[in-house]
């Protein structure tokens, strides 16, 4: 059984997908971009600023189910310019987590008018 997570504190879906789903003890988020949840506009023109906004959006979705960044077990990251932006994105990304960090896949992707998109899998312990 799956339950949809939705919050106005995170960016609204712009297509046929949910912000997040709860399935058992796991929360799966959709890929989040750097959209302001109030205006729907892209925040920032550099990867560091955009990564902070993505993490705020994802944090809001986690919080909608009583979770935080320490509950994240897996992330997938898409960067428009992998080689150019990896170091700046990574500095921002790691500032949201404590060790041990979640497992992660980071790839270069063709993104639509954004520099970074991230999704999470989180686990809620009993």
């Amino acid at each position: 059984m799956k339950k949809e997570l939705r919050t106005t504190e995170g960016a609204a879906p712009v297509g046929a997908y949910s912000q997040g789903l709860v399935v058992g003890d796991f929360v799966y988020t959709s890929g989040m971009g750097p959209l302001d949840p109030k205006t729907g506009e892209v925040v920032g023109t550099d990867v560091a600023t955009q990564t902070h906004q993505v993490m705020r959006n994802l944090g809001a979705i986690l919080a909608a189910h009583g979770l935080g960044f320490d509950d994240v077990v897996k992330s997938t990251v898409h960067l428009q310019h992998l080689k150019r932006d990896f170091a700046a994105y990574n500095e921002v990304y790691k500032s949201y987590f404590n060790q041990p960090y979640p497992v992660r896949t980071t790839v270069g992707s063709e993104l639509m008018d954004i520099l970074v998109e991230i999704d999470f899998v989180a686990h809620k312990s009993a």
Side-chain angles (χ1 to χ4, degrees):
M1 184 166 187
K2 59 187 177 182
K3 173 187 164 195
E4 182 179 18
L5 289 179
R6 184 174 286 273
T7 177
T8 59
E9 299 299 313
V14 295
Y17 60 89
S18 299
Q19 285 177 320
L21 291 175
V22 179
V23 182
D25 293 336
F26 288 91
V27 170
Y28 300 85
T29 73
S30 64
M32 284 285 123
L35 301 180
D36 181 297
K38 306 282 187 262
T39 67
E41 298 295 320
V42 173
V43 173
T45 58
D46 62 271
V47 77
T49 303
Q50 288 194 7
T51 301
H52 277 297
Q53 184 61 46
V54 169
M55 298 301 275
R56 285 190 292 270
N57 287 337
L58 288 165
I61 295 166
L62 293 173
H65 193 61
L67 298 175
F69 291 105
D70 285 341
D71 298 303
V72 175
V73 295
K74 168 89 170 87
S75 68
T76 303
V77 179
H78 298 265
L79 294 175
Q80 177 78 281
H81 306 286
L82 181 63
K83 192 173 195 175
R84 180 191 81 185
D85 289 344
F86 182 85
Y89 130 79
N90 192 56
E91 281 302 306
V92 173
Y93 175 92
K94 75 179 183 181
S95 73
Y96 285 84
F97 295 103
N98 296 308
Q99 292 187 16
Y101 298 119
V103 298
R104 177 178 79 187
T105 300
T106 305
V107 297
S109 295
E110 186 173 335
L111 300 172
M112 293 176 53
D113 303 320
I114 61 174
L115 300 174
V116 59
E117 181 176 323
I118 302 173
D119 67 74
F120 286 158
V121 177
H123 183 259
K124 184 167 188 163
S125 301

